[in-house]
Amino acid sequence: MNQLLSPSVALPKVASDLFAPIARDLEEAERVLARTLHNARPGVSRLIEHLNHYRGKRLRPALLLLTAHACGKVTAAHHTLAAVVEMIHTATLVHDDVLDSATVRRHVSTVNALWGNQTSILLGDYLFTHAFHLTSTLGDAEACRLIGEATNRVCAGELHQICQRGNLELTEQEYFDIVEGKTAELTACCCQLGALCSGQPAEVVERLTAYGRGLGIAFQIADDLLDLVGEERTTGKSLGTDLEQQKLTLPLVHLLENATPELARRVRQILGNPANHKREALRPILVETGALAYAQHRAEEIAAEARAELVCLPASPCRAILEALTERVVHRSA
Amino acid sequence: MNQLLSPSVALPKVASDLFAPIARDLEEAERVLARTLHNARPGVSRLIEHLNHYRGKRLRPALLLLTAHACGKVTAAHHTLAAVVEMIHTATLVHDDVLDSATVRRHVSTVNALWGNQTSILLGDYLFTHAFHLTSTLGDAEACRLIGEATNRVCAGELHQICQRGNLELTEQEYFDIVEGKTAELTACCCQLGALCSGQPAEVVERLTAYGRGLGIAFQIADDLLDLVGEERTTGKSLGTDLEQQKLTLPLVHLLENATPELARRVRQILGNPANHKREALRPILVETGALAYAQHRAEEIAAEARAELVCLPASPCRAILEALTERVVHRSA
């Protein structure tokens, strides 16, 4: 057990300056989250404390709260739901790290690296159930339904992805199916709940849901690009895991769909090779064929479409932040 | 990947003849469950089909439906909630099999043995979220809250147990704490929901909840006894896993709390020995010291207390089955 990375790393406060206007709301959501997860048993509470290291960008609670602000009304239900979406996201991170055998996340050892896979599985379950219970305390069955539906799709997307692992014939459509489930469903739900609980009419809720979905897809494409060409030092997490597990992402899907048979054969050979260094071997091919540029361009396109949905809201500082996010998610190094 | 045990084992229909009077309700709950978990993607649907092998006793949905019948009123909500508790139970089984590295359950290969741990983790998550979403479709936030609360305690109990793994000083109180969480909370919730949705007054709901809790504790003690002295052939699952993982159960807790220092030292030595055959080495000690008999007696005592709670209901065939269950759970070989 590697305790080296565990101890006194300073907790990142609200990660991005971009979120300064909603700092108090984010802090309130954090308080709800801490209160909800609190457990008196020392063994359990030590695990929950470690999760503080996992929370970095707070993108999902921020999305929910920014949407609420941009819609003109922030309520206690928003703070609760912001905590809920962060808990669900953290649950998926904890389980993802087991799936990926990841040892580092946000520059800190993962729960599985420190306490093993078994503990990680149960801790993820604990986070899921506490998120659902917290939602139910709002006394609003519709909120429970929306959170339930979103998490259903997140898990179906993840399950679909794992069933497609090793499928080197994955189509672009299938890639987008997976991403819409595993990532964009939750960001869509954040904006949907933010707008709904502000009492917005159906059309606005729908457009903001579409914004959240597009933002999530763009974010995931950028994340997949980082897994291929990012630096572990900057991103603070294990990289190259998609390749190791033969999970195809957009640049590779595009490359394989458009390469000459000769090149496609070579790429599949690299992917099938159990030896390491897949990233290094593939990078020049992905650059030369324009596959990386294609994926980056698609991410920017989808982000721009998401941004266009925001015209349904009056101009405001928080709308401006939602707009800025569509740039940030596709131009990032971490 | 061992496919040997997977294919055409006949699906157990409602396992016990005891449940014949509620066979139609159990079948309706099964239909709700199948409809809820259905997924069009072949990879995902194959996994969900395999779960049919996991469902044997249907104790939890039966408890919920028997309680409803004994309270005089069975509604569509009962069938839905019966499916919910079975899904939650199945989720914990799927994750437990990963925790225990179990290869066989109900005479069939486990999901982790066939498709690996990663798939099992995601499939368990899929079951959890679908259970919560299904609950929310009732439009009753209180039902969501009760299911959320029960699953919170189930997961906290499991997490507590894993944190106590290897603690050879576990007290009887701590053992009961863990069991009340990981097992009895869900059986209590079954009876609570069965009674609540039949419109019973608070006092009856409370007594039936206590019945479900007692039944669950007695069931778990009996299950722990099987892990120590049962036959894999009869139980249809991997045994001895508690010992392998140094999870102390009631007979061992009692033995260690009451043994001479010399005997306790010997028992701890056997438990600490990485070599196999712990079961064989411990069995004679557990028999001679009366530790097995003690645990069996405690299970019977708790089951009898549970049975006494049922006097709050009028005599009926389903009350009689609930009574009979308090005998069955403590005298079983599988």
Side-chain angles (χ1 to χ4, degrees):
Chain A
M1 283 207 271
N2 168 20
Q3 293 276 349
L4 275 179
L5 287 161
S6 153
S8 59
V9 177
L11 296 191
K13 295 293 284 178
V14 176
S16 166
D17 291 345
L18 203 58
F19 299 153
I22 56 159
R24 286 192 179 192
D25 294 294
L26 279 172
E27 278 162 24
E28 179 55 26
E30 283 290 317
R31 272 192 291 275
V32 176
L33 187 146
R35 205 161 54 221
T36 304
L37 294 182
H38 173 78
N39 190 293
R41 295 169 185 130
V44 178
S45 98
R46 196 177 47 157
L47 297 171
I48 289 161
E49 260 166 49
H50 188 74
L51 293 177
N52 288 323
H53 299 293
Y54 271 49
R55 290 204 295 286
K57 299 184 197 73
R58 289 157 172 72
L59 176 63
R60 289 148 195 88
L63 268 182
L64 196 148
L65 294 165
L66 286 166
T67 306
H69 270 284
C71 290
K73 191 175 162 200
V74 185
T75 66
H78 285 111
H79 297 129
T80 299
L81 290 167
V84 166
V85 295
E86 183 70 357
M87 281 158 67
I88 290 169
H89 175 59
T90 310
T92 64
L93 291 186
V94 170
H95 281 180
D96 280 352
D97 284 342
V98 181
L99 307 182
D100 298 342
S101 308
T103 54
V104 181
R105 166 160 316 265
R106 299 205 192 293
H107 307 281
V108 171
S109 293
T110 56
V111 176
N112 45 306
L114 290 170
W115 291 283
N117 288 348
Q118 308 194 352
T119 304
S120 295
I121 295 171
L122 294 176
L123 184 62
D125 292 350
Y126 182 96
L127 288 163
F128 269 125
T129 65
H130 279 73
F132 288 114
H133 179 253
L134 180 58
T135 311
S136 75
T137 62
L138 293 174
D140 173 359
E142 179 65 3
C144 294
R145 201 183 61 73
L146 291 174
I147 288 286
E149 206 166 71
T151 49
N152 274 358
R153 292 191 182 143
V154 169
C155 290
E158 293 238 31
L159 208 45
H160 187 198
Q161 178 174 53
I162 213 155
C163 293
Q164 294 294 335
R165 215 176 15 172
N167 173 8
L168 302 185
E169 314 284 335
L170 196 78
T171 65
E172 192 167 311
Q173 181 55 50
E174 285 171 317
Y175 168 80
F176 277 107
D177 265 5
I178 289 168
V179 167
E180 283 205 26
K182 74 167 193 167
T183 308
E185 192 57 42
L186 192 55
T187 52
C189 183
C190 290
C191 298
Q192 184 182 27
L193 288 169
L196 261 180
C197 295
S198 294
Q200 292 296 309
E203 196 217 309
V204 173
V205 175
E206 217 167 280
R207 296 199 70 172
L208 293 173
T209 309
Y211 162 84
R213 180 163 290 116
L215 191 81
I217 297 171
F219 177 89
Q220 186 60 54
I221 297 174
D223 210 59
D224 291 345
L225 282 166
L226 282 177
D227 195 69
L228 287 170
V229 297
E231 298 294 334
E232 297 208 350
R233 207 163 38 87
T234 326
T235 58
K237 62 179 180 181
S238 306
L239 293 178
T241 54
D242 293 336
L243 289 180
E244 286 317 312
Q245 302 193 32
Q246 300 202 317
K247 286 184 199 160
L248 292 200
T249 55
L250 189 54
L252 275 159
V253 168
H254 181 76
L255 173 60
L256 286 167
E257 282 190 343
N258 295 280
T260 60
E262 166 61 21
L263 180 59
R265 204 187 49 74
R266 206 173 111 220
V267 169
R268 291 203 173 90
Q269 205 167 39
I270 296 172
L271 286 169
N273 193 328
N276 220 322
H277 310 302
K278 292 192 183 71
R279 279 179 103 212
E280 292 66 19
L282 288 169
R283 208 180 307 193
I285 306 177
L286 289 165
V287 172
E288 281 158 29
T289 57
L292 285 183
Y294 169 80
Q296 178 67 33
H297 176 70
R298 286 289 283 136
E300 288 169 15
E301 217 169 43
I302 292 163
E305 283 165 22
R307 184 188 176 115
E309 302 285 2
L310 295 172
V311 295
C312 67
L313 293 175
S316 74
C318 284
R319 191 188 90 169
I321 300 173
L322 290 170
E323 285 166 355
L325 271 175
T326 63
E327 304 281 336
R328 289 279 181 108
V329 294
V330 292
H331 297 112
R332 60 205 189 94
S333 59
Chain B
M1 281 209 269
N2 167 21
Q3 293 276 350
L4 276 180
L5 287 161
S6 153
S8 60
V9 177
L11 295 191
K13 295 292 284 179
V14 176
S16 166
D17 292 344
L18 202 58
F19 299 153
I22 56 160
R24 286 190 179 194
D25 295 295
L26 279 172
E27 278 162 23
E28 179 55 26
E30 283 290 317
R31 273 192 290 276
V32 176
L33 187 146
R35 205 163 52 222
T36 304
L37 294 182
H38 173 78
N39 191 294
R41 296 169 186 129
V44 178
S45 97
R46 195 176 49 155
L47 297 172
I48 288 160
E49 261 166 49
H50 188 75
L51 294 176
N52 288 323
H53 299 292
Y54 271 48
R55 291 203 295 286
K57 298 184 197 70
R58 290 155 171 76
L59 176 64
R60 287 147 196 89
L63 269 182
L64 196 148
L65 295 165
L66 286 167
T67 306
H69 270 283
C71 290
K73 191 177 162 198
V74 185
T75 67
H78 285 112
H79 297 130
T80 299
L81 290 167
V84 165
V85 295
E86 183 69 357
M87 282 158 66
I88 290 168
H89 175 58
T90 310
T92 64
L93 291 186
V94 169
H95 281 180
D96 279 353
D97 284 343
V98 180
L99 306 183
D100 297 342
S101 306
T103 55
V104 181
R105 166 162 314 267
R106 300 206 191 290
H107 307 281
V108 171
S109 293
T110 57
V111 176
N112 45 306
L114 290 170
W115 291 283
N117 288 348
Q118 307 192 353
T119 304
S120 295
I121 294 171
L122 293 177
L123 183 61
D125 292 351
Y126 182 96
L127 288 163
F128 269 125
T129 66
H130 279 73
F132 288 114
H133 179 253
L134 180 58
T135 312
S136 75
T137 61
L138 294 174
D140 172 0
E142 179 64 3
C144 295
R145 201 182 62 74
L146 290 174
I147 289 287
E149 206 166 71
T151 49
N152 274 357
R153 291 191 183 144
V154 170
C155 291
E158 293 239 31
L159 208 44
H160 186 199
Q161 177 174 53
I162 213 155
C163 293
Q164 292 295 335
R165 215 176 15 172
N167 173 10
L168 302 185
E169 315 283 337
L170 196 78
T171 65
E172 192 167 312
Q173 182 54 51
E174 285 170 319
Y175 168 80
F176 277 107
D177 265 4
I178 289 169
V179 168
E180 283 205 27
K182 75 167 193 167
T183 307
E185 191 58 40
L186 193 54
T187 52
C189 183
C190 291
C191 299
Q192 183 182 28
L193 288 169
L196 261 180
C197 296
S198 294
Q200 293 296 308
E203 196 216 310
V204 173
V205 174
E206 217 167 279
R207 295 198 71 172
L208 293 173
T209 309
Y211 162 83
R213 179 164 289 116
L215 191 82
I217 297 171
F219 177 90
Q220 185 60 54
I221 296 174
D223 209 60
D224 291 345
L225 281 166
L226 282 177
D227 196 69
L228 286 170
V229 297
E231 298 294 335
E232 297 209 351
R233 207 163 37 87
T234 325
T235 58
K237 62 179 180 181
S238 306
L239 293 177
T241 53
D242 293 338
L243 289 180
E244 286 318 311
Q245 301 193 35
Q246 301 204 316
K247 286 184 199 161
L248 292 200
T249 53
L250 189 54
L252 275 158
V253 168
H254 181 77
L255 173 60
L256 286 167
E257 281 191 343
N258 294 280
T260 61
E262 167 61 22
L263 180 60
R265 204 187 48 76
R266 209 173 109 219
V267 169
R268 291 204 173 90
Q269 205 167 39
I270 296 171
L271 286 168
N273 193 330
N276 220 322
H277 309 302
K278 292 193 184 71
R279 277 180 104 213
E280 292 67 19
L282 288 170
R283 208 180 306 193
I285 305 177
L286 288 165
V287 172
E288 282 158 30
T289 56
L292 285 183
Y294 169 80
Q296 179 66 33
H297 176 70
R298 287 289 283 135
E300 289 169 14
E301 216 169 45
I302 292 163
E305 283 165 21
R307 184 188 176 112
E309 301 286 2
L310 295 172
V311 295
C312 66
L313 293 176
S316 74
C318 283
R319 192 189 89 169
I321 301 173
L322 290 170
E323 285 166 355
L325 271 175
T326 62
E327 304 282 336
R328 289 277 182 109
V329 294
V330 292
H331 297 113
R332 60 205 189 93
S333 59

